[in-house]
Amino acid sequence: DSANVAPTQREFLNEFNRILEEEEEISSVKEAFDVEEEETQIISPQNLCLAVSLICNTFNGGDDDDNDNDSCNSIEAINNDDLLCNLGRGALRLGWIYRARPCSATDTNQQAFLCEDGNAVFPKSRVFVEVFGIEAETYLFRDFVLPGDEIIMNFERLSVVQTVEVKVKTDNDSESFLIQSISFNITCVPIQDLTIGKMFGSLQLASY
C-alpha cells in the first residue's frame, strides 16, 4: 500500500520546510498585531539606523591574487552628515512620519519653525492633515492619517515654495477641531536643520 511507504529524504525536507513557513507566517501576523497595539515611538537622530542590504560580487579576470582593486574592500559607511538636508536650495521632496505628539516634542533647531497646539487632544485614531505651500498658495497634502503613517510633500513643480503650514485636525469638515498648527522653512541649508529623525511638532522627518 503506497500510504505506508516511508517518504524520501527530499519529501521529508519539503514537508518540514512547509511547516516552518506556516509557523513563521503565523508568528509574523501575531507580531503585526502586537505592533499596532503599541504606542508610536520617536526615533531620535542619535539612535537612527539606516538599514542597507548589500550584495557584493567580485570578478577576478586574471590568475593573480592581487585584491587591491577589489570593490568589496572599498565600501564606505553612510556619513552621519548625510542626515542633514544640505542641498543649498529648496527641497524637491520631503517624507515625514506622523507621530501624534504635542509641540513640546519638537527638537529641531530651525528658528523659523512655529508650533501651536490646539484645544483638542491627539487621538490614537486617524486625524486629518493639511499641508499648505505658502508661496504657491496651494495644498501639497490633504488626507487622513494614523500615527506612524507617512506624509509626502512634493515640491518638484512648486520650486517657489519655501514655507509650509501644516494643520492637524480631528476631521475634514468645517466643524472639526484644530489639534496642532505648525509652519517651517523647507530650504535645504544647515540653518534650517532639516535633519532626518528630527521632530517638527507631530511630524518627524524621514527622508529628503
Side-chain angles (χ1 to χ4, degrees):
D1 187 355
S2 60
N4 296 323
V5 177
T8 64
Q9 183 178 11
R10 179 180 295 276
E11 290 173 338
F12 176 82
L13 290 176
N14 288 340
E15 180 64 13
F16 181 77
N17 290 331
R18 184 186 66 79
I19 294 174
L20 282 180
E21 291 175 356
E22 290 181 354
E23 292 180 350
E24 290 176 357
E25 183 177 356
I26 293 173
S27 177
S28 298
V29 172
K30 181 179 182 300
E31 291 176 0
F33 278 109
D34 291 341
V35 168
E36 288 183 356
E37 294 177 357
E38 293 178 359
E39 184 178 357
T40 180
Q41 296 182 354
I42 295 175
I43 306 172
S44 66
Q46 294 80 8
N47 298 325
L48 185 68
C49 295
L50 301 180
V52 179
S53 177
L54 290 177
I55 299 176
C56 187
N57 296 317
T58 60
F59 299 92
N60 190 353
D63 296 332
D64 56 71
D65 294 329
D66 184 9
N67 290 325
D68 290 342
N69 295 324
D70 188 349
S71 61
C72 288
N73 293 331
S74 60
I75 298 175
E76 298 181 359
I78 296 175
N79 193 322
N80 286 335
D81 291 340
D82 291 338
L83 299 178
L84 171 67
C85 188
N86 188 18
L87 304 175
R89 54 170 171 75
L92 296 180
R93 180 184 182 277
L94 293 175
W96 303 81
I97 303 298
Y98 172 66
R99 295 298 186 190
R101 299 302 300 268
C103 293
S104 59
T106 300
D107 61 1
T108 180
N109 297 319
Q110 183 180 130
Q111 294 185 356
F113 175 77
L114 298 174
C115 185
E116 183 178 356
D117 290 327
N119 295 326
V121 298
F122 282 94
K124 292 185 178 180
S125 56
R126 70 177 190 172
V127 296
F128 191 75
V129 174
E130 296 179 338
V131 181
F132 188 74
I134 301 297
E135 290 78 8
E137 298 184 347
T138 187
Y139 284 101
L140 303 168
F141 182 93
R142 297 185 79 235
D143 205 353
F144 288 98
V145 297
L146 293 167
D149 282 353
E150 185 177 25
I151 296 173
I152 299 297
M153 302 180 190
N154 196 327
F155 307 99
E156 290 185 7
R157 298 182 179 180
L158 299 169
S159 58
V160 67
V161 176
Q162 295 183 354
T163 308
V164 297
E165 183 181 65
V166 181
K167 291 187 178 181
V168 182
K169 303 191 296 185
T170 55
D171 210 333
N172 63 340
D173 56 36
S174 58
E175 301 299 324
S176 63
F177 295 98
L178 182 66
I179 301 174
Q180 187 179 84
S181 176
I182 60 179
S183 66
F184 51 90
N185 191 292
I186 57 94
T187 307
C188 284
V189 291
I191 194 174
Q192 303 303 350
D193 195 25
L194 291 173
T195 304
I196 291 178
K198 286 291 186 77
M199 292 292 298
F200 290 66
S202 58
L203 300 184
Q204 183 177 34
L205 185 59
S207 63
Y208 63 83

